[in-house]
Amino acid sequence: MFNNNKQSTLLLGAVLTALVAGPVSLAHADQYEDAARKWAKEFSTSTLSEEERLEELLWFARAAEQFRDMDINVVSETIATHEYEASRLAEAFREITGINLTHTLIQEGDVIEKLQTQMQSGRNIYDGYINDSDLIGTHWRYGKVVPISDMMENEAKDLTLPTLDLDDFIGLDFTTAPDGKLYQLPTQQFANLYWFRADWFEREDLKEQFQEIYGYALGVPVNWSAYEDIAEFFTEHVKEIDGKRVYGHMDYGKKDPSLGWRFTDAWFSMAGAGDKGLPNGLPVDEWGIRVEDCHPVGSSVTRGGAVNGPAAVYATTKYLDWMKKYAPSEAQGMTFSEAGPVPAQGNVAQQIFWYTAFTASMVEEGLPVVNEDGTPKWRMAPSPHGPYWEEGMKLGYQDVGSWTFFDSTPEERRLAAWLYAQFTVAKTVSLEKTLKGLTPIRESDIESDAMTEAAPRLGGLVEFYRSPARVQWSPTGTNVPDYPKLAQLWWQYISQAASGEASPQEALDGLAEAQDRIMMRLERANVMETCGPKLNEPREAQYWLDQPGAPKSKLDNEKPQGETVPYDELLKTWQEERES
């Protein structure tokens, strides 16, 4: 009797539990579906219809069921695009999925430090990183990163957004290693381009004066010779516009980690120091590192590299000369972040090296470089190239912040973070994100009507990303075996040249030797899973200079005739190339 009563009580409890649990579960389901419906309306600036947006967001709500109430932590550097993700997109994701997500924003150097610590210790610090694709060579060689393509085929097969549409991404070449695997998923990208005051370049008096002095038209410089002439023209001949001192160039030279970015992002490629090849030169890339059979074999000229070769010395010399002669005197003591806002103050005619991530801050109402109707007085265009550059080489740098996942992250946490990563690049949200941060990742967003409407206010950004020329701008490639270790050398040695402590040749000799020492240590330690360094034995420099390609022998004439092109003609050429 007692047993029967006990069984009856248990059965009654189970029934009551089921009755209570049923409505609660349905209520929860309604909560997340309601959130999806709300946000499908909120994200109205999209290439998808509201119905398509709802379908995409409902997929996230259902896919996240197994991860609800989990605490997930991801990290990125602090730029406008990631601020938008960490606020608006993270909020929407939490409401739609029930995952307690924290998107932390820190400085880029701190992201690298945390990433290195997790790689080396195997201790999970963050469940997902937005990490520059510059580390593709590092991630591919060390084997600590779980390739995105492997995840999608295996543990994340049922957690991969059906409408992710990888073919729509414009930066996958930069995050794919030589083994054919996709290691990182782009979530933002921006290029360094030429920036100039279009209103000044169109003034008839200045055009006539330039033509008279230099014998060719004032326009967008095609080569460094023309850039130098224009820098000299505004600094030494024009001197003042509307009663304000003007300069023909802007840069920065303070001993600071950001000085390294000035060169690795990718000053030597613009000068032409590396080899032909897209997205990066082979066998010698824009860092001057030679690779043979996937193994880095040296960066010094004596080992077949080009870090301290004539083209790199030329590029470094021009960097110093132009800053000293044609930039405001305070530029020498500035860092990247301090120099960035200077062109917006209205006294700089051009800048050879300008990140398009600054576009949003350069079109703010009331700036001296913005017209009353909100259109910019400036334009952006392809960077000019140095005399060592050849057709078929990369011409500049493109930053590609990309989702990266480590094998040291517990699988469940990694998969939950993978859902958020996909959310930040989904077609529902990607166009609005592009218009907020101006760092496009999808072809469909670039070609959208919304971007066409925004184009007149963005100074050439849309035209650039719609042009076939954009493929000549690329991040650091796979020749660099350990980006964190090697990148920190650049600012230390370049600063010696910037301060006058060493000549350009001496500074680059030191840099090349230091890079080779680190690669030699990596070779001896045998810490890389695949394609680690195998350094060449040193030979006479002339042996390598006599070989085809990089390193390249010194040119007899490093300043050929300046060449320019009218901006409107450049845009017309782009349009014709798109249509052909």
Side-chain angles (χ1 to χ4, degrees):
M1 186 72 176
F2 176 80
N3 289 338
N4 287 341
N5 284 341
K6 183 178 180 182
Q7 289 172 356
S8 299
T9 303
L10 289 173
L11 179 61
L12 177 62
V15 171
L16 290 173
T17 300
L19 289 172
V20 173
V24 170
S25 296
L26 289 174
H28 277 208
D30 289 344
Q31 171 189 337
Y32 302 118
E33 289 189 11
D34 287 348
R37 294 179 193 283
K38 181 190 89 168
W39 285 102
K41 294 181 185 295
E42 289 275 332
F43 292 120
S44 57
T45 304
S46 171
T47 57
L48 301 183
S49 67
E50 184 176 337
E51 183 179 347
E52 290 169 327
R53 298 196 299 272
L54 177 58
E55 184 179 349
E56 204 168 61
L57 296 183
L58 286 174
W59 180 89
F60 280 104
R62 291 159 187 161
E65 286 181 8
Q66 60 186 295
F67 305 114
R68 282 180 189 156
D69 298 323
M70 279 185 65
D71 295 319
I72 298 299
N73 297 291
V74 302
V75 68
S76 71
E77 65 173 301
T78 307
I79 65 171
T81 297
H82 299 322
E83 289 170 354
Y84 170 84
E85 291 169 340
S87 55
R88 183 168 170 82
L89 296 190
E91 177 189 2
F93 181 78
R94 285 191 292 266
E95 290 186 10
I96 292 167
T97 65
I99 296 172
N100 300 319
L101 177 115
T102 301
H103 185 150
T104 300
L105 299 170
I106 57 180
Q107 294 303 307
E108 182 181 8
D110 296 327
V111 174
I112 297 294
E113 182 184 340
K114 299 293 185 186
L115 181 148
Q116 279 184 290
T117 301
Q118 181 155 343
M119 282 179 63
Q120 293 165 3
S121 68
R123 177 172 59 89
N124 189 52
I125 300 174
Y126 288 101
D127 305 309
Y129 291 79
I130 297 178
N131 165 228
D132 281 1
S133 72
D134 295 333
L135 277 81
I136 180 66
T138 310
H139 295 326
W140 163 52
R141 287 184 172 87
Y142 276 106
K144 303 291 186 180
V145 161
V146 179
I148 299 291
S149 49
D150 284 357
M151 284 176 56
M152 291 173 64
E153 291 174 5
N154 297 293
E155 67 270 25
K157 186 175 183 179
D158 296 330
L159 295 171
T160 294
L161 181 65
T163 52
L164 185 59
D165 191 7
L166 290 181
D167 290 341
D168 193 38
F169 284 76
I170 64 173
L172 295 193
D173 284 351
F174 310 142
T175 57
T176 301
D179 61 6
K181 292 184 178 182
L182 182 69
Y183 279 75
Q184 301 169 277
L185 185 69
T187 188
Q188 57 86 0
Q189 60 190 81
F190 55 90
N192 66 2
L193 296 176
Y194 173 72
W195 179 97
F196 70 107
R197 286 293 298 270
D199 57 336
W200 293 354
F201 278 47
E202 288 302 314
R203 280 180 46 165
E204 289 300 325
D205 58 335
L206 297 182
K207 288 163 71 174
E208 290 174 8
Q209 188 181 3
F210 186 87
Q211 179 78 46
E212 183 179 336
I213 296 172
Y214 298 98
Y216 61 99
L218 177 62
V220 175
V222 174
N223 58 12
W224 281 19
S225 299
Y227 183 85
E228 185 171 59
D229 289 344
I230 296 168
E232 179 186 73
F233 174 67
F234 280 99
T235 307
E236 298 184 1
H237 296 284
V238 178
K239 293 185 180 179
E240 287 189 2
I241 293 179
D242 299 329
K244 190 174 184 179
R245 179 72 169 101
V246 299
Y247 299 89
H249 177 63
M250 183 59 204
D251 216 319
Y252 61 96
K254 186 175 182 179
K255 186 175 183 178
D256 178 82
S258 65
L259 187 58
W261 310 338
R262 180 67 176 75
F263 280 74
T264 58
D265 292 354
W267 188 240
F268 290 170
S269 75
M270 296 165 67
D275 274 315
K276 295 179 183 180
L278 295 174
N280 303 90
L282 284 172
V284 180
D285 71 352
E286 70 275 9
W287 279 47
I289 297 175
R290 175 178 288 270
V291 159
E292 295 173 359
D293 297 325
C294 86
H295 298 281
V297 296
S299 52
S300 301
V301 172
T302 53
R303 298 182 192 270
V307 170
N308 56 337
V313 172
Y314 159 81
T316 307
T317 301
K318 286 301 173 187
Y319 156 73
L320 296 171
D321 287 350
W322 293 346
M323 184 161 55
K324 180 179 179 181
K325 294 178 181 177
Y326 309 128
S329 58
E330 57 268 27
Q332 178 74 44
M334 285 183 167
T335 64
F336 169 81
S337 57
E338 292 165 343
V342 172
Q345 296 168 9
N347 65 335
V348 174
Q350 61 170 0
Q351 191 165 6
I352 193 171
F353 185 98
W354 181 80
Y355 288 101
T356 61
F358 293 142
T359 305
S361 63
M362 194 71 86
V363 295
E364 293 175 1
E365 185 178 344
L367 286 176
V369 294
V370 176
N371 293 309
E372 289 185 6
D373 65 358
T375 57
K377 297 178 181 178
W378 54 267
R379 297 290 185 273
M380 61 182 81
S383 306
H385 56 72
Y388 293 88
W389 188 87
E390 303 170 75
E391 197 67 45
M393 293 178 62
K394 71 178 284 183
L395 189 50
Y397 175 78
Q398 193 156 183
D399 185 291
V400 183
S402 305
W403 283 103
T404 309
F405 301 96
F406 285 97
D407 61 3
S408 51
T409 299
E411 183 176 290
E412 187 180 29
R413 302 184 67 84
R414 186 168 68 242
L415 291 174
W418 168 238
L419 286 180
Y420 176 62
Q422 294 175 92
F423 188 83
T424 65
V425 301
K427 289 182 180 179
T428 293
V429 306
S430 61
L431 178 55
E432 181 177 301
K433 186 174 83 168
T434 293
L435 290 168
K436 292 291 184 182
L438 302 177
T439 57
I441 55 170
R442 285 188 177 274
E443 192 81 50
S444 57
D445 293 335
I446 293 166
E447 297 294 338
S448 68
D449 292 342
M451 290 296 279
T452 299
E453 183 181 340
R457 302 189 303 276
L458 301 179
L461 178 72
V462 176
E463 290 83 351
F464 170 76
Y465 272 105
R466 286 179 173 177
S467 81
R470 76 180 184 214
V471 300
Q472 293 178 306
W473 277 256
S474 66
T476 297
T478 57
N479 282 26
V480 180
D482 191 317
Y483 183 94
K485 285 187 174 69
L486 295 175
Q488 65 183 342
L489 300 174
W490 285 68
W491 68 274
Q492 298 174 42
Y493 285 92
I494 296 299
S495 67
Q496 295 177 10
S499 66
E501 180 184 340
S503 69
Q505 183 70 68
E506 290 167 340
L508 295 181
D509 285 345
L511 174 59
E513 185 180 343
Q515 283 206 148
D516 285 347
R517 280 199 304 270
I518 283 183
M519 290 195 288
M520 201 175 299
R521 288 202 295 270
L522 292 173
E523 180 180 359
R524 288 171 181 163
N526 195 28
V527 291
M528 294 185 162
E529 193 173 89
T530 186
C531 294
K534 290 184 178 180
L535 266 64
N536 285 332
E537 289 298 321
R539 309 179 68 146
E540 287 292 326
Q542 196 59 47
Y543 167 82
W544 290 105
L545 293 171
D546 288 341
Q547 305 302 312
K552 300 168 184 177
S553 296
K554 182 176 173 63
L555 293 171
D556 293 334
N557 178 17
E558 291 183 325
K559 192 179 181 188
Q561 173 62 41
E563 184 182 350
T564 59
V565 61
Y567 185 66
D568 290 343
E569 185 178 313
L570 178 69
L571 295 184
K572 182 180 178 182
T573 301
W574 279 352
Q575 184 62 34
E576 290 172 351
E577 289 176 351
R578 283 186 74 206
E579 294 171 354
S580 62

